Amino acid sequence: MQEFAITKARRVRKREVFGWAMFDFANQAYTLLIITVIFGDLFTRVIVGDGPDYRLGNLLWSIALAISYLLVLVAAPVAGSIMDATRSRKRFLMASWLLTVFTTATLYWVEPGLIILGMVLIVISNFGYAIGESFIASFLPDLGPPERLGWISGLGWALGYVGGLVATAFALGLLGDVSAENFERIRWVGPFAAAFFLLSALPTFLFLRERGPRRNVAGRLQLSMGFRRVAKSLVTLRQRPELRDLFVSIFFLMAGIYIVISFTFIYGSQVIQWDESTRVAMFIVTQIMAAIGALGFGWLQDRIGAVPVYRFTLLFWTLAVLGIFLTPWLAERLTGILGRPVEAQQVFLFVGALAGLCLGSAQSAGRALVAMMVPVGEAGRWFGFWGLSGRAAAIFGLMGIGLLQMWLGLANAILFCLLLFFAAFVATWRVRLPDRSGTPRSLVP
């Protein structure tokens, strides 16, 4: 029988928490430099370069990310089940880390017109990064008692935003702006992100422990066993509506968040038409606010309850997206009220700060909820399903926004996110933490 995740005997292991959180610190260099701030913009405007509206570039970017998430969707639950059975979470995590580092470094050779090469490298590198998120999350239930997991999860996410801030600040300072004229410098973003991820994640592999002795199982048997356990897990989800609905809510939440992460700076460039100083300010403000949100809501989650805090962040997201959509209108209204010009990019910066506040908090709260609801010895497979929910959401969200912006334009298609966040809130209706007395010790036979 497996030890259930809500056992109170576990204590916070500070050195392990630090090592675990440093992986969040390290991998944000990939998220921000490659997906959000620099390479995504570089791919659409320079590598593809179908101006003035860049609709083809936006669609191809969505397709590349969606393919990578489709691969994670298939692989994450099976890999998680194998990790549990063989006690090899750390090896799987290291493999995903090295794959991401190598393929990110090779983005240096993607030049204007080499669209297929760029898409292939994004598919592989983002697969390694995304499945690695599931692997590192599976260690969370080991790091402390359930009443501290909200804060620990929030600490990891907050440290991640600090890492992203440091990495991107150095990258923007060293490499300059995203433009065809500056291509020879900005193409170094891949090697820079790879080096940052490589070095900053070293504490993770020094301090994070693998629980239990390693079990040697033949490769073919591992795969067969992984699929069998995934099938049993699907049966369990039908029997536990609160856990199933949490994964459904995470699906809608992550669909919206992946759109925001992948298109915020593209939206600012194409719709708001911001200048370089506002772009830099947006990055700094959202990173700081996201770190504050992750830490603050993580602390609050341990005191008033994980479910209420998670629901609040979802409602806050709907307001933030509505503010993004209404940015030009708000700028006009404020100009009339104040009697002086108010630019849309100024309003967009303020709205971005609100979105940043709930960016880390919503993801951290969802991750902590999963850790509180699953057995420690089965964390790999259930965080595989957490990864499946998130990556299926990425495919749905990115393909949805990609097709909608082809039809309606990016400015109107952003309302799709509002519907996604509201659906995530509705899906939490039956989500409850398990009773700490009498809960079965194992979810899957």
Side-chain angles (χ1 to χ4, degrees), residues 229-427:
R229 292 190 173 210
V230 168
K232 290 178 180 179
S233 299
L234 292 173
V235 173
T236 302
L237 283 176
R238 289 201 296 268
Q239 299 169 350
R240 289 198 61 191
E242 74 283 358
L243 184 58
R244 182 185 66 235
D245 289 355
L246 175 60
F247 285 133
V248 171
S249 177
I250 289 173
F251 170 85
F252 288 118
L253 164 68
M254 295 308 298
I257 285 180
Y258 273 109
I259 293 172
V260 172
I261 290 174
S262 302
F263 279 91
T264 294
F265 280 73
I266 295 173
Y267 190 94
S269 176
Q270 297 178 13
V271 178
I272 304 300
Q273 297 182 340
W274 58 15
D275 54 35
E276 181 64 18
S277 62
T278 304
R279 183 173 79 102
V280 174
M282 173 66 86
F283 165 72
I284 295 172
V285 167
T286 52
Q287 293 301 106
I288 292 173
M289 295 301 291
I292 292 172
L295 275 178
F297 281 102
W299 177 86
L300 197 62
Q301 189 175 349
D302 290 343
R303 281 153 181 80
I304 69 173
V307 177
V309 170
Y310 178 66
R311 287 174 176 158
F312 176 79
T313 62
L314 296 175
L315 288 177
F316 205 77
W317 258 124
T318 62
L319 296 177
V321 174
L322 185 61
I324 291 172
F325 174 72
L326 294 176
T327 289
W329 179 82
L330 289 172
E332 292 181 4
R333 294 291 296 172
L334 287 172
T335 296
I337 292 171
L338 299 176
R340 60 179 179 81
V342 176
E343 297 181 3
Q345 62 180 344
Q346 295 172 320
V347 177
F348 191 60
L349 184 61
F350 176 77
V351 174
L354 297 180
L357 189 64
C358 50
L359 180 63
S361 57
Q363 296 177 89
S364 173
R367 180 169 68 177
L369 270 173
V370 175
M372 294 175 190
M373 295 176 73
V374 305
V376 172
E378 299 170 6
R381 82 186 64 167
W382 290 111
F383 273 102
F385 277 94
W386 174 76
L388 183 152
S389 298
R391 308 322 165 191
I395 297 169
F396 176 74
L398 291 171
M399 291 306 299
I401 195 71
L403 294 172
L404 283 173
Q405 63 88 29
M406 289 285 288
W407 175 36
L408 301 172
L410 189 56
N412 294 319
I414 200 67
L415 282 177
F416 181 47
C417 288
L418 188 149
L419 298 177
L420 293 171
F421 290 127
F422 184 72
F425 175 80
V426 172

Side-chain angles (χ1 to χ4, degrees), residues 16 18-27 76 79-80 82-84 86-102 125 127-140 142-143 197-198 200-210 214 367 380 383 386 391:
E16 274 198 282
F18 169 73
W20 178 81
M22 279 301 295
F23 199 83
D24 278 348
F25 178 92
N27 70 13
I82 294 172
M83 289 191 306
D84 288 340
T86 60
R87 300 290 190 267
S88 56
R89 286 181 294 174
K90 205 167 177 180
R91 292 188 178 214
F92 275 76
L93 179 64
M94 181 174 289
S96 70
W97 168 58
L98 294 176
L99 177 65
T100 307
V101 167
F102 175 76
S125 63
F127 168 79
Y129 158 78
I131 201 168
E133 278 199 317
S134 300
F135 298 161
I136 191 65
S138 70
F139 286 90
L140 178 58
D142 295 323
L143 301 178
F197 194 8
L198 177 69
S200 299
L202 291 177
T204 302
F205 299 98
L206 290 174
F207 300 139
L208 202 58
R209 289 174 49 205
E210 184 78 68
R214 178 170 169 78
R367 180 169 68 177
F383 273 102
W386 174 76
R391 308 322 165 191

Side-chain angles (χ1 to χ4, degrees), residues 120-181:
V120 169
L121 290 176
I122 285 296
V123 167
I124 299 173
S125 63
N126 197 54
F127 168 79
Y129 158 78
I131 201 168
E133 278 199 317
S134 300
F135 298 161
I136 191 65
S138 70
F139 286 90
L140 178 58
D142 295 323
L143 301 178
E147 60 270 17
R148 298 298 303 277
L149 294 184
W151 180 83
I152 292 172
S153 181
L155 174 66
W157 233 287
L159 198 57
Y161 288 113
V162 173
L165 181 62
V166 172
T168 310
F170 273 105
L172 291 174
L174 292 171
L175 305 180
D177 64 330
V178 178
S179 65
E181 294 76 19

